Amino acid sequence: MTPALYYAAMTRRRLSYLITAAILVIVFAALLALDLSQRGLAWRIFYDLTGEEAPLAQVRGMVEWAGNLTRPQPNTDANIPISHAGVNPLGINTFLQQEVEPARREQQLQMIADAGFVWIRQQFPWEDIEIHGRGDFTDRRNDLNGDGTPDPVDAWIKYDNIVDLAEQYGVQIIARLDAAPNWSHADPQEGTFPPPDDFQDYVNYAVAVATRYQGRILYYQIWNEPNIYPEWGTQPVNPEAYTEMLCRTYTALKAVAPEIVVIAGALSPTLALSPMNLSEFVYLQRMYDAGAADCFDVMSVQGYGFYSGPTDQRLRTTTLNFGRHTYVRDIMVANGDADKAIWISEAAWNPVNSPDVSPDVVGRENFGAVTQEQAAAYMPQAYERAESDWPWLGVVNYWFFKRATDTERNLPFYYFRMVEPDFTPLPVYEAMRNFDLPRVLYHGVHQADHWAITGEEAVPIQTDAGAQFGEASLVESAPVNAYGTHVTIRWKGERLQVFEIVDAIPIADYVSPNPDEWTETEIHASLWATTVRYGISSDAPFLLDSITVSDRTIPQLTPIVGTAVALLITGIGAMVGYLWRKS
């Protein structure tokens, strides 16, 4: 064969290879498009990574998700003990104070409890409690008898009823303390959004609430969204001033009762860097610079999903999605606050893509836009991800249960409601009522009072200086429902027995070398993550401090998979080379 013919043959052969490759790419693209359109395996994988449902949005989202590999990721320091993280996360925002009739407040709490919620984030508006002046807790705004003169009413009565009902239905209150009264401003026309001119007036109000409900309400949130307009009034936001108010209130509340848990004001997600709206990342760092680390027990953020679902794993500081709080965690770790939890004060997807939405809504898609069906599907997924992915998260409060009337139908926030003003349930309510959040420990260090260990039952607590937070649970037995590759128990006692819960088969029996010292015992190890359903018990009560779950699947399997892939590529390369030479 002449060189010309040889090269022509080689050209044809290589062209055939290129055509074959192009055909394979087209076939792959067609199969991918078919899978995405039919919500097949690829669609599920793409959704789990991007939170997008539309095929084109998923493809774009995958490109953006791949960008995570090009940027340093947040340092979340997840494998350390974190206080106030092991609580049942099911919470919801309420406006019970808007209901005039106590029976309607009770109906709300009954429905809330029926849906499985164990927390309410309830506003205790300052302007509705200390209404007319400093130290004045009498409401003289209404002429109840119709005689032309105001009839004084104890301003506490309504809130006493709310606290009574919460206790009756087994729901804990997160008291949101904000909404300054007119008398606290030099200009009474400023409204309820700005902080008071004198922070001590706010401190006194917080102390009055905490004193009245001492031992009944333990969780207090100091203000709401201080980093955006109009929540700090018409003045520029001021992290340093807010920190001063937070610190003074923290000290005063701890003086009322040391066990009170102080929650920082929920920071709103925003990309803005303006005087009136400031990125929560910048705002939080300035809070730390002003000394806020010693002035709160729990950090708080808002957790709206906006324009993608709860599974969205794209991480950029310029992206607003459900996982944005990961950067807040990074800032906390950088400032030595890794042992504190984050609670999400408001979380939801706004179902404004619904036929019942008023055509007069202003800024319809300000908070994103989903259908009623999507909103109903997303919230259970959000709670599942909060538990499985983020061991530093505590309560996640849905925004919100209901408003008393429908007079706000022209505002987009109104459509977050779970129930209509007349108590007609919406799909998201039914989804939550039928949802059963698994009691599973995922990766992280979980204290012995974690809700997945204890359920809702109280366990005896014993002080111990060597415990991770100075206290441990005194138990005779405990369940270990976990998902991971390794499970380690931190305990103190003479003997620990481990058995499978399903059929009570004994697995191991551990004897402590020193019963007076803390022992860390690994009770499970596997190559890849698996579900562990064990029980631990002892002949006598023992102290249980924490259960640590690790998921080392990737680092353990990477060398094995890498070796297999390398051998496969080498074999394919050798075969291709052989065929190429033969041709």
Side-chain angles (χ1 to χ4, degrees), residues 380-543:
Q381 294 174 20
Y383 281 110
E384 288 177 339
R385 187 180 181 197
E387 285 292 281
S388 64
D389 286 13
W390 301 311
W392 59 84
L393 275 190
V395 181
V396 178
N397 294 290
Y398 182 82
W399 178 257
F400 51 86
F401 187 68
K402 72 182 288 287
R403 301 290 277 184
T405 70
D406 66 353
T407 56
E408 297 158 318
R409 290 182 62 84
N410 64 324
L411 301 175
F413 95 93
Y414 172 82
Y415 295 93
F416 282 111
R417 74 214 183 285
M418 186 173 280
V419 171
E420 297 282 17
D422 66 357
F423 290 93
T424 299
L426 294 168
V428 66
Y429 176 80
E430 297 297 345
M432 290 304 303
R433 191 168 66 87
N434 295 319
F435 172 59
D436 186 16
L437 183 63
R439 297 180 184 274
V440 179
L441 300 174
Y442 296 91
H443 70 99
V445 182
H446 310 287
Q447 301 311 122
D449 61 354
H450 192 286
W451 79 281
I453 302 173
T454 66
E456 302 305 326
E457 298 179 4
V459 295
I461 300 297
Q462 184 170 306
T463 301
D464 190 291
Q468 289 165 335
F469 287 106
E471 293 180 339
S473 298
L474 184 65
V475 300
E476 292 185 6
S477 64
V480 181
N481 296 320
Y483 181 81
T485 58
H486 294 73
V487 179
T488 301
I489 308 296
R490 191 171 195 266
W491 62 288
K492 180 191 285 189
E494 294 185 358
R495 184 166 172 254
L496 185 69
Q497 301 158 323
V498 181
F499 56 91
E500 289 187 359
I501 288 181
V502 176
D503 46 22
I505 297 176
I507 295 175
D509 196 343
Y510 301 97
V511 177
S512 173
N514 189 342
D516 295 325
E517 298 292 334
W518 286 99
T519 301
E520 293 190 2
T521 303
E522 184 176 88
I523 65 171
H524 173 79
S526 58
L527 190 58
W528 55 79
T530 185
T531 299
V532 176
R533 300 194 183 281
Y534 291 169
I536 55 175
S537 65
S538 183
D539 299 330
F542 65 97
L543 285 177

Side-chain angles (χ1 to χ4, degrees), residues 151-307:
D151 297 296
V153 176
D154 185 351
W156 292 109
I157 291 177
K158 176 168 48 179
Y159 297 94
D160 291 349
N161 176 245
I162 291 171
V163 175
D164 290 342
L165 289 170
E167 291 179 341
Q168 179 181 336
Y169 287 94
V171 175
Q172 292 201 71
I173 293 176
I174 301 169
R176 171 182 154 185
L177 305 180
D178 58 359
N182 289 336
W183 62 262
S184 69
H185 302 125
D187 180 1
Q189 302 304 313
E190 286 192 66
T192 63
F193 283 115
D197 296 346
D198 185 349
F199 288 162
Q200 189 59 41
D201 286 329
Y202 177 85
V203 173
N204 294 343
Y205 141 72
V207 167
V209 176
T211 301
R212 187 172 187 89
Y213 302 115
Q214 186 171 352
R216 304 180 71 190
I217 299 179
L218 296 179
Y219 301 88
Y220 291 91
Q221 185 161 46
I222 311 307
W223 217 254
N224 183 57
E225 299 183 328
N227 65 311
I228 63 167
Y229 172 86
E231 302 290 343
W232 198 249
T234 56
Q235 60 187 323
V237 299
N238 190 329
E240 293 74 23
Y242 171 72
T243 299
E244 179 188 350
M245 186 171 77
L246 174 66
C247 291
R248 290 170 62 175
T249 308
Y250 177 91
T251 301
L253 290 180
K254 292 292 186 178
V256 173
E259 64 271 20
I260 283 176
V261 177
V262 175
I263 305 169
L267 298 182
S268 182
T270 177
L271 307 181
L273 295 171
S274 67
M276 308 302 287
N277 296 281
L278 183 60
S279 162
E280 72 272 34
F281 308 148
V282 176
Y283 192 96
L284 178 58
Q285 185 55 57
R286 285 176 57 180
M287 282 178 59
Y288 275 118
D289 293 343
D294 296 329
C295 302
F296 64 90
D297 302 307
V298 172
M299 188 58 219
S300 180
V301 298
Q302 311 295 41
Y304 293 103
F306 291 101
Y307 304 98

Side-chain angles (χ1 to χ4, degrees), residues 5 33 68 88 131 142 176 182 206 251-252 255 305 356-357 363 386 400 511:
L5 291 175
N68 289 357
N88 187 323
I131 303 165
N142 302 299
R176 171 182 154 185
N182 289 336
T251 301
D356 69 327
V357 176
F400 51 86
V511 177

